[in-house]
Amino acid sequence: MVGLGNPESEYGGTRHNLGADVVALLAERYGERLKRGKERALVAEARVDGKRVVLAFPQTYVNDSGLSVAALVRRHSIEDLRRLVVVHDELDLPVGRVKLKIGGGTAGHNGLKSIQAHLHNHDFVRVRIGVDKPPGKRRGADHVLRRPTKVEKDALGVAVEVAADAVEAILEEGPEAAMNRFNTLP
């Protein structure tokens, strides 16, 4: 489980760090602490229903996430990329909406582009957290690197919880069953 975000504290609380927030919440739920790993990531390992689960927050910038993710995939011998779950912000979804997806395009997300380029594959599972398109003429990069408004912050706080629940459902039920359950939520 990889949560995308930028590593420096100035990016904490921004829309772009929602994936990292989900991984931190999952580590807390499992009683683990994210620690610096060899793969340019903060990593925690947990046992969930007898399964080993690796949680990671790459310490590269989002645009270079593939460097860390590829190293994690190699280290943990993940051959079936459907066992890799990437949690990230999504401009193409309304604020707070959580949707799951297997494979597909990047929708312009540079972190996903980097991961696909380093893995030479796009078949991993995604948990997408909606942040909506920026208002007016603001660029997407400017939008995701800013902190949300109070109303958005509340909705995104709920979305982080829902996304963590979705990751757990992927573990328990598999990605297709989790998609059927979470993609139909309002």
Side-chain angles (χ1 to χ4, degrees), residues 1-5 18-20 22-23 26 85-89 125-129 163 167:
M1 309 299 164
V2 175
L4 300 187
L18 290 168
V22 171
V23 164
L26 287 166
V85 178
V86 177
V87 186
H88 63 90
D89 56 298
V125 179
R126 298 121 190 253
V127 177
R128 305 156 52 216
I129 302 173
V167 169

Side-chain angles (χ1 to χ4, degrees), residues 142-162:
D142 296 331
H143 181 64
V144 297
L145 293 175
R146 292 182 185 214
R147 286 180 174 70
T149 66
K150 170 73 172 120
V151 171
E152 290 174 329
K153 185 176 179 179
D154 291 344
L156 292 172
V158 171
V160 166
E161 294 275 347
V162 171

Side-chain angles (χ1 to χ4, degrees), residues 12-151:
T14 65
R15 295 171 181 94
H16 221 23
N17 275 43
L18 290 168
D21 294 344
V22 171
V23 164
L25 175 59
L26 287 166
E28 183 181 308
R29 284 183 182 181
Y30 300 141
E32 299 295 334
R33 198 168 59 84
L34 294 165
K35 301 172 192 155
R36 189 153 307 279
K38 296 177 183 176
E39 302 80 18
R40 298 174 73 177
L42 297 179
V43 179
E45 291 191 31
R47 285 263 174 223
V48 180
D49 296 329
K51 299 176 191 168
R52 184 172 67 113
V53 176
V54 178
L55 303 168
F57 168 25
Q59 295 298 283
T60 58
Y61 286 100
V62 170
N63 294 357
D64 289 326
S65 296
L67 294 167
S68 177
V69 173
L72 286 159
V73 165
R74 280 190 305 276
R75 176 172 174 84
H76 296 285
S77 303
I78 298 173
E79 293 177 18
D80 178 4
L81 285 183
R82 291 168 47 103
R83 292 182 46 222
L84 170 64
V85 178
V86 177
V87 186
H88 63 90
D89 56 298
E90 175 70 53
L91 289 168
D92 290 335
L93 292 174
V95 172
R97 180 81 162 96
V98 175
K99 288 192 90 168
L100 285 60
K101 180 178 179 179
I102 302 170
T106 64
H109 194 292
N110 289 330
L112 296 177
K113 287 179 186 176
S114 176
I115 293 168
Q116 286 186 6
H118 283 85
L119 295 178
H120 307 289
N121 195 311
H122 64 269
D123 292 337
F124 50 92
V125 179
R126 298 121 190 253
V127 177
R128 305 156 52 216
I129 302 173
V131 296
D132 210 354
K133 291 194 181 340
K137 296 183 185 239
R138 191 183 309 160
R139 292 184 28 219
D142 296 331
H143 181 64
V144 297
L145 293 175
R146 292 182 185 214
R147 286 180 174 70
T149 66
K150 170 73 172 120
V151 171

